Structures are given as structure tokens and as C-alpha cells.
Amino acid sequence: MKYFANQKQKSSSKRKPKFLNVAIICLLAMLVGMLNARAQSITDSLSPIMLEGVGINWTKPSGEEMFSATSINKDEINSNIGNGSINNLFEMVPSMITTSDAGTGIGYTYMRIRGIDQTRINVTINGIALNDAESQGSWFVNLPDFGSKVQQLNVQRGVGTSNNGSAAFGATMDFATLDNSHQRFFEISSTAGSFNTFRNSATFGTGLIGDCFAATISYSNVLSDGYIDFASAKLHSLFFSSDFYLKNKKKNKDYGKLKLNILYGNEKTGLAWNGVPSDMLPTNRRYNSCGEYLDPTGQVRHYFNETDNYQQLHTQLFYDYNKRITDRNHIKVNVAGHFTRGLGYYEEYKADQFYTDYALNNPIIGNDTMYTSDFITRKWLNNYFYGMTFSFKQSFSKVGKKELDNRLTWSVGGSLNRYDGKEYGTIEWSEFGGVPNNYQWYIGPGKKNQFNIYGTLDYSQGRWYTYIDLQYRLIDYHIGGTDAYLADVSQHHLWHFFNPKVGVSVDLDQNRHHSLYLSLARSQREPTRSDLITAPKDNRPVPETLYDVELGYRMQYHKYAFNANAYFMYYDKQLVLTGEINDVGAAIMTNVDKSYRLGIELVSAYRPIKYFTWNIKGTFSLNKILDYTEYVDDWDNGGQIVKHLGTTDISFSPNIVASNEFIVTPVDNFNISLTTQFVSRQFIDNSSNKLYSIKPYCVTNLNLSYCFHTKPVKDIELFFRINNLFNAKYESNAWVYRYYYDGTECFMDGYYPQATINFMGGVRLKFSK
């Protein structure tokens, strides 16, 4: 096989990172900084607990409070950025669990909130939709080291308030990117850790120039071999942001602000999506079958370019205008345009494939007709996403130091977006030839127009606060061409959704130490491209509907804060995998009539002294499908065996997700945190069969960070992190395929082990003028 004659063979042994040297340097520098730190008296007054990271910070009534909001600020982000994985930030959100293909959080990562996957979580960046219009997922691998470019992360669990982009079934997440500093600065960061992981970044801010312009530019790269074999990652990102203030100094007029953001990401990631078969977990947890094939002598080989390659460019332009018309009348206007360009492919080695499966004629070599061959294929995604958003908000209030007894605010906003994309496949090489140059065996264009408009009205009087939110969504979706199985997937859909939400809260005392809130919301969500093209033409899925009820109690005192949030999420026509397949054997998503999620989220924070904080988060839930029917392939007789199972558990929905965090601050700016998360058993499918499940796991992480100041360097921050401190061997995701053979139920599966104990340390230097 000449194609592989010059391929460099990768050693199976991995170099051990010199993390011990990094740890020694960090700890010595911490000691020096601590000796220079000014001692603080233990009798210093304690500020009230306002811990955004645990999701219980509130100061004034707002619609977001009706929907279980969590806010994570820049300081918390800096303390938890670690190896650059966005999963490090998500771990601070209640009811959230994360996983990754490579086992380290670098590369392809995934999240679930209340058991709900990321295709049902609405994600925006500065209010601009990030979710892919067709898959409806948010793929942070396309924005490497994105957390370091985030000023604040706000998460609303459940349906949440109206948003731009896809419907929210699990949560609404908005990332606010870095603010442009009015002071000039230069910041560099360097990190090294296990599995040959390196993260480096450099950021420069111009400061305010001429009272009208400020800009920030940042570059990052992340390199890692990954915990799973051949799951390496090479990630690069660029971020640019600028503010231009529209002012007339002579007339003392302020006409608002223009803001331009550019985010670029480029990734090359080794594929590891096959997982590890369960019978191999005890002997080889790092096994990766992606790219594995047999050479002509029958020897097992690995194709080393079995990778995902993708680049994405986001451009956002905003106009913001704030004006206080009178002491009682304030308006805020925001208009934005956006453009996203994505292009990339994943490459695979496909052994012993039929030529006819790629719409090719069987080549003749000599007197022999070749019916099968080994191929190298690329599946491409080439897309554009563009549009505009707007919002207008007006508040009627008084100016004063004390909180107002009454306030009325109304707003209207919306978005208009267009997606133009196409999926297509090319053949890069064939063992026996017979493939034309630049050959595409399938191409499937997709065009999706989305429009939404919403209006909100909130009113507070005394201790009472009410909120109404009405949203209308229109989706016009065209799919054309064929899929990878050469099936015609042409179809057109037009959907209209009306999503109302209402909330009410009451303060139980004048100081707002105790409050109750209740919200009711409905959300409707269209099927994804994959849901639609894999389904039979005569039985395509219909949109899902979610009814969400949230009832909560909040308590906040000087040293203690607590939030209890009960939720009931009732689904009509939820889309789930039942085991049904289409005519080419691909699994299809099926609407089930009735299902629900019922749970309570408990979040508390306790700070008895300035130097110690104790955070606890716990979610306890039931997640059920009513009257569930499953389908299992019958290899003996063909077709499928139908089983009526009644009430079952929804897959990947653990009944318990709990975490405990101790934060110790022995001196100012030196933080030691010990975080433990427990996740109970998760079923891989909807059968509630314990054999097809992910075992409960418990993981502890230790994080140390210290920041001190010198004259030449404004901030010197040192950090060291130990992940999976107690070396737990666990899996956080899996898949299963079941079938009957010789009258016995058999299965194939794949589990995704996460890294055992590993280390990460580094330094961040900030120079400022």
C-alpha cells in the first residue's frame, strides 16, 4: 500500500511531561509572594456572601431570577481555566455534568444539564446564537481556549427567558466576552501538564485612545496528546474586540457605542468517538479503534490522520445606546449584525467497502473485477450563518439611593438569521483506484431561515414582582440532495411556535433575606437535520413541546446563603432513541407521547470567617418516559423485536448530581479549593436495564492559585491543579447497540473513560500602565 509508505509511525509510548518542575517553581513563587503579602486582621469586616459561582447571587428583581439563574464572573473564570477546557467553567453550574472524547476536556467536549444534552441548550455569545442551525449543538472545540476570552457566563436552567437562536429545553447560556480596558496592558500565560498538554496565550489591550477608542487582541494555542490513545489536539484561537465611543465633546452629546468582535478558531483533533468496549475497560482503558485497519498481511495498523479538521470565524458588530430621558424614564437600544463562516472535514480510513456504496463502478484490474476496496474519505461541512438581532428596553423608575417601591419595564426584541450550508463527502484515496479526481459521492445542501420576536413586561411594587415574556418563532427549513447512504433527503418544513412565560416573586421580609418565586414556561423545538433525514419519509418526527414549572425559595444572610429550586418539566412528543432503524440500518429518533423530569436543586454557601467558604450543590430528580416501547434487531429472523416496557428512566439522566467545595484563603489572593462531584448511575438507553448503564462515579479536584503584585509586573498569578486527585477510574459517557442472535440478547458498546490523576500548572503575568 504505497499510500502509507512514507507515513511516519507514531510511537505508542508517551513522553512524560515535566510537571514536577512546574509544580516546584509555582510553589516556591507562592511562598515568596506570601512572605511579601500584607497581613490582614481576622477582625476585618466580612462582606455579605454574593457567590455568583453557586448560582444564588441576586440584588434586584429581574426576569432571569424567575428561571434559576447562575452567574460566573471573570475572577472565578481565571481561577478555574486550567488547561483551557470549557468544561472547567461548566463544573461550577448546578445540575451540570460534562464529558470529553479524549478524557481530558480538551478537544470534543459535551455537557448535560438536568440530563438534557447540548443540542437542547441554547447558547449565545453576547446575545448572538452559537448553536449550529442544523444539529442545534454548540461545539466549543471550534473556539479553543474560549473561557479565557469570557468576562462573564450567565446560565438559566430550564426554559429561561426569551433568547435568540434555537429553543432552550435544558438551559439558556450567554457568554459575555472580554470588556475592553481603559488602561493599556499586556498579559501572557503559560501552562504545562500531564499528557504533554501545553497552553499558551498572549493578550494586549490598547487602553482608551483619545477618549473614543479601545481594543483588545488575544491569541491562544492548546496542544495535548489526550488521555485516550491517538486523541491528540492542536488548537489555535484568535480574539479581537474594539469599542468606538460616539461622542460630541463640544455639544456634550453621547450617541452610543460601536463594538466589533472577531473570534477565530482552528482545530485538528484525533477522532475518539468509538469509545472503549466494556470488556476492554479492565485491561486497556485508553484503547481507541478509530483509524484501526488490517494491512494485506493481516497485521493491525493505525491510520494516523483519522482526525477532525475545522475552522470557524465569528464576526459581530454591535451598536449600543443608553439614554436617561428623565429621572423616571430610561431607554436602552441594542442592534447587532453577525456573520459566521465554518469550513472543515473529518477524515476516516474505511476498510473493505463496496464501490457501489459510493456510487462508483466496479473497476477491472486485469481479468479481475474489484467489488470492494479500502478507502480514505472526508466528510465536509461548509456553511455560512448570518443575520441581525435587536432589542429595545424602557424603564420607568425614580432616581435615588434606596430601592424603589415600584418599577415598570417593558422591552421588545428579536432576531432574523439565515443559514446556508452543505454537507458532502469526497474520496481521497482508494486501494484499487477507480475514483475520479475531486469525486463527491454525496452532497446535501441545507438552508434555514429563523425569525423570532419577543416582548416582555415586568412590574415590581413593594415586595412583589411579576414578569411576562411572550415569544414567537418562525422556522423555514429546506434540505436537499442526498446523504452518505445515497438516499434522497429532500424535504421542506415550515414551523410556527408561540412560547409564553410568566413569573412572580415575593420578598418575605423588607431586607430581602427570604423570597419565593414561581415561573411557568412553554418551549417548542424543531427536530435536527439528523432527526429528519434518518427518519422514513412517511414517519418523520414532529416538534417537541416542553412545559416547565419552577418553584423556588431563597435565603441570604451575612454569612450564609441558600437556594432551593423545585422543577417539573413535562414533555409532549419528546424525541428519543427507541432502537428503531430506517431502511439502511441507521438509528432514528422517535417521538414518545409523554415523559417528564421532576427534581429539586439545592445550593448553599457558608462563610463563617473571611478565610473559609463552604459551597454545596445537589440535584435530586426522577426522569421518566411513560408507556415506552423499544425495538431490538433480530439477527436470526430479520426485522425487529418489539417490547412494551411501560414506565422507564430517560437515558443519561442521573437521579443525583451533587458537589461539595471547600475554599480556603489563608492570605489575600491565595485560594485553595477542593471540589468533589458525585454522579449517580446513568442508563445508556431507555430500557432501565442496569446492564446497559454507566456506573456511579465520584471525582475530586484540587486547585491552588495565588496572585501578587510587584512594581514591574502588576499581577503575577501562579496556579496549580490536580484533577482526579484520588485516581478514580470512571466513565462519563457511553453508547450501546443491542440485538438478538441464536435466541440470545447480545450487545456492542463503547464507553468513554476520563483521565486518571493528572496535573496542570502555570503562570500568568500582567503588565499594565
Side-chain angles (χ1 to χ4, degrees):
M1 301 175 65
K2 294 182 180 179
Y3 186 88
F4 300 103
N6 297 321
Q7 292 291 314
K8 184 178 179 181
Q9 296 298 313
K10 183 176 179 180
S11 172
S12 60
S13 63
K14 296 181 179 288
R15 292 174 287 120
K16 294 182 179 180
K18 299 179 180 179
F19 58 80
L20 184 58
N21 293 340
V22 175
I24 294 173
I25 293 172
C26 290
L27 292 174
L28 286 175
M30 284 184 183
L31 180 59
V32 172
M34 289 166 61
L35 292 175
N36 290 323
R38 181 171 59 90
Q40 297 293 319
S41 170
I42 195 170
T43 59
D44 285 350
S45 61
L46 293 174
S47 59
I49 292 183
M50 302 295 275
L51 301 176
E52 295 90 341
V54 296
I56 51 178
N57 174 30
W58 69 94
T59 54
K60 294 181 180 179
S62 66
E64 288 77 5
E65 283 197 5
M66 301 297 101
F67 299 92
S68 312
T70 297
S71 180
I72 302 172
N73 61 34
K74 182 60 178 173
D75 289 339
E76 292 169 315
I77 292 171
N78 282 340
S79 299
N80 289 274
I81 199 64
N83 59 13
S85 170
I86 198 72
N87 285 3
N88 296 332
L89 306 187
F90 292 159
E91 289 170 359
M92 294 186 282
V93 179
S95 302
M96 173 83 83
I97 57 176
T98 62
T99 185
S100 70
D101 286 353
T104 57
I106 299 174
Y108 268 91
T109 62
Y110 311 92
M111 58 179 169
R112 294 180 185 272
I113 294 181
R114 296 179 178 175
I116 302 164
D117 70 74
Q118 62 201 54
T119 65
R120 291 165 166 82
I121 298 173
N122 177 270
V123 181
T124 56
I125 300 177
N126 303 313
I128 305 296
L130 177 65
N131 298 72
D132 179 80
E134 293 197 298
S135 72
Q136 300 187 37
S138 301
W139 314 110
F140 288 96
V141 66
N142 301 327
L143 291 172
D145 199 24
F146 178 59
S148 66
K149 284 79 175 177
V150 174
Q151 186 75 30
Q152 186 166 348
L153 167 61
N154 295 305
V155 182
Q156 297 173 54
R157 302 184 299 283
V159 169
T161 54
S162 286
N163 49 71
N164 299 313
S166 60
F169 262 40
T172 298
M173 308 176 65
D174 182 60
F175 293 87
T177 54
L178 292 177
D179 292 333
N180 289 300
S181 174
H182 286 192
Q183 288 187 327
R184 185 184 306 172
F185 73 93
F186 176 65
E187 181 178 303
I188 56 174
S189 177
S190 184
T191 307
S194 302
F195 315 115
N196 287 321
T197 299
F198 300 94
R199 171 182 167 267
N200 297 283
S201 67
T203 305
F204 171 71
T206 65
L208 188 61
I209 301 175
D211 290 333
C212 64
F213 178 79
T216 302
I217 186 168
S218 179
Y219 168 78
S220 298
N221 67 42
V222 180
L223 307 174
S224 179
D225 287 345
Y227 172 69
I228 300 299
D229 291 337
F230 311 112
S232 62
K234 297 179 180 179
L235 315 175
H236 303 270
S237 67
L238 183 68
F239 170 76
F240 174 79
S241 178
S242 63
D243 292 337
F244 188 77
Y245 298 91
L246 306 176
K247 296 180 179 180
N248 188 324
K249 294 183 179 180
K250 293 182 179 180
K251 296 183 179 180
N252 194 27
K253 294 285 187 178
D254 184 354
Y255 299 104
K257 180 180 73 173
L258 287 174
K259 187 178 188 70
L260 173 66
N261 290 332
I262 299 175
L263 297 94
Y264 171 77
N266 184 302
E267 60 93 4
K268 182 173 184 177
T269 306
L271 299 183
W273 53 33
N274 288 351
V276 181
S278 56
D279 58 359
M280 290 188 66
L281 288 173
T283 57
N284 188 3
R285 298 177 55 80
R286 302 174 73 170
Y287 171 72
N288 183 5
S289 64
C290 291
E292 196 173 80
Y293 68 98
L294 297 178
D295 68 12
T297 67
Q299 296 294 314
V300 178
R301 302 291 184 185
H302 191 91
Y303 178 57
F304 292 106
N305 203 36
E306 191 98 348
T307 55
D308 183 81
N309 306 262
Y310 197 76
Q311 56 183 323
Q312 195 170 69
L313 176 69
H314 299 259
T315 304
Q316 304 174 339
L317 179 63
F318 299 90
Y319 171 70
D320 291 310
Y321 178 70
N322 295 310
K323 183 177 178 60
R324 185 173 295 278
I325 299 175
T326 67
D327 288 347
R328 300 175 59 87
N329 192 348
H330 178 234
I331 63 171
K332 183 176 182 180
V333 179
N334 176 273
V335 180
H338 65 89
F339 177 83
T340 299
R341 172 75 170 109
L343 177 65
Y345 62 89
Y346 64 88
E347 185 167 309
E348 293 181 291
Y349 188 95
K350 310 289 285 187
D352 199 26
Q353 302 287 296
F354 285 98
Y355 275 91
T356 53
D357 288 342
Y358 296 91
L360 292 167
N361 296 321
N362 297 319
I364 299 175
I365 301 177
N367 296 322
D368 297 324
T369 300
M370 300 296 155
Y371 296 97
T372 64
S373 174
D374 289 359
F375 294 96
I376 293 175
T377 65
R378 288 180 177 179
K379 290 187 176 180
W380 288 82
L381 183 61
N382 186 344
N383 55 39
Y384 302 85
F385 179 64
Y386 49 93
M388 59 85 65
T389 68
F390 74 95
S391 66
F392 175 88
K393 184 176 183 179
Q394 186 172 24
S395 297
F396 299 94
S397 59
K398 297 179 180 179
V399 178
K401 295 182 179 180
K402 295 184 178 180
E403 189 172 349
L404 304 173
D405 289 333
N406 56 74
R407 181 185 63 190
L408 175 67
T409 301
W410 71 277
S411 68
V412 62
S415 66
L416 177 62
N417 298 315
R418 165 83 171 186
Y419 173 89
D420 286 316
K422 59 181 178 180
E423 298 182 4
Y424 58 95
T426 62
I427 298 178
E428 302 301 307
W429 172 84
S430 171
E431 183 180 11
F432 301 115
V435 180
N437 291 332
N438 302 316
Y439 178 69
Q440 296 181 0
W441 88 86
Y442 76 94
I443 182 168
K447 299 183 184 298
K448 191 172 186 179
N449 298 309
Q450 300 181 78
F451 169 75
N452 88 80
I453 187 168
Y454 65 85
T456 69
L457 180 68
D458 57 87
Y459 177 69
S460 61
Q461 183 174 17
R463 300 178 184 177
W464 288 89
Y465 171 77
T466 56
Y467 176 83
I468 299 174
D469 182 334
L470 304 176
Q471 182 200 52
Y472 167 74
R473 289 185 69 218
L474 169 67
I475 299 102
D476 183 14
Y477 190 18
H478 292 261
I479 302 176
T482 59
D483 64 7
Y485 298 102
L486 305 179
D488 180 9
V489 296
S490 299
Q491 52 194 282
H492 173 234
H493 302 276
L494 184 66
W495 291 296
H496 302 268
F497 299 140
F498 175 64
N499 300 316
K501 310 166 184 79
V502 61
V504 60
S505 72
V506 57
D507 295 327
L508 302 180
D509 62 327
Q510 288 185 337
N511 297 320
R512 303 194 67 208
H513 290 315
H514 305 268
S515 63
L516 293 173
Y517 62 88
L518 170 68
S519 68
L520 309 173
R522 183 178 75 172
S523 182
Q524 296 167 283
R525 173 185 175 273
E526 71 276 18
T528 68
R529 176 190 176 96
S530 177
D531 298 338
L532 293 167
I533 67 174
T534 57
K537 291 183 179 180
D538 58 350
N539 190 27
R540 288 197 171 118
V542 299
E544 308 165 272
T545 302
L546 168 64
Y547 299 91
D548 182 25
V549 181
E550 309 267 337
L551 174 64
Y553 165 72
R554 288 178 173 138
M555 176 175 64
Q556 183 165 1
Y557 282 96
H558 196 64
K559 298 180 180 181
Y560 180 71
F562 174 75
N563 178 207
N565 183 80
Y567 63 87
F568 178 65
M569 307 174 75
Y570 178 79
Y571 297 86
D572 183 21
K573 304 297 183 184
Q574 182 180 191
L575 279 166
V576 302
L577 288 170
T578 63
E580 288 184 88
I581 58 175
N582 60 17
D583 55 358
V584 297
I588 63 175
M589 297 287 282
T590 304
N591 294 105
V592 294
D593 285 339
K594 298 175 182 179
S595 56
Y596 69 86
R597 299 179 188 273
L598 173 66
I600 184 168
E601 296 162 322
L602 304 176
V603 182
S604 68
Y606 178 52
R607 188 168 62 191
I609 58 175
K610 181 179 181 180
Y611 309 106
F612 175 72
T613 303
W614 184 9
N615 297 326
I616 300 177
K617 297 189 289 284
T619 300
F620 307 88
S621 64
L622 296 174
N623 309 275
K624 301 292 183 178
I625 298 175
L626 306 178
D627 195 22
Y628 175 69
T629 300
E630 74 168 4
Y631 299 78
V632 183
D633 284 359
D634 185 353
W635 285 18
D636 296 324
N637 306 303
Q640 293 189 296
I641 296 174
V642 181
K643 296 182 178 182
H644 300 284
L645 301 183
T647 300
T648 63
D649 293 278
I650 301 176
S651 61
F652 300 105
S653 301
N655 292 336
I656 302 174
V657 178
S659 65
N660 182 88
E661 181 182 32
F662 295 121
I663 302 175
V664 180
T665 309
V667 297
D668 281 355
N669 301 318
F670 178 35
N671 291 319
I672 304 171
S673 67
L674 185 70
T675 305
T676 300
Q677 184 184 50
F678 170 78
V679 178
S680 65
R681 185 177 301 275
Q682 305 174 63
F683 294 102
I684 304 172
D685 63 12
N686 298 302
S687 66
S688 293
N689 189 332
K690 192 175 179 180
L691 182 63
Y692 314 123
S693 66
I694 302 171
K695 295 178 182 178
Y697 61 86
C698 185
V699 183
T700 298
N701 300 323
L702 176 65
N703 193 23
L704 299 90
S705 65
Y706 181 62
C707 183
F708 58 95
H709 315 286
T710 65
K711 288 186 177 180
V713 183
K714 180 182 179 182
D715 295 331
I716 302 176
E717 183 177 8
L718 304 160
F719 47 88
F720 185 72
R721 183 180 176 101
I722 305 177
N723 297 307
N724 198 352
L725 180 64
F726 300 113
N727 203 33
K729 293 183 178 180
Y730 71 103
E731 301 80 46
S732 55
N733 199 9
W735 61 268
V736 66
Y737 166 70
R738 298 159 55 198
Y739 60 97
Y740 276 88
Y741 180 69
D742 282 343
T744 303
E745 183 172 301
C746 307
F747 66 90
M748 304 175 191
D749 59 14
Y751 285 76
Y752 298 86
Q754 301 303 289
T756 50
I757 185 171
N758 60 95
F759 308 85
M760 178 67 60
V763 59
R764 181 179 65 89
L765 306 177
K766 183 174 183 179
F767 304 85
S768 182
K769 200 172 182 180

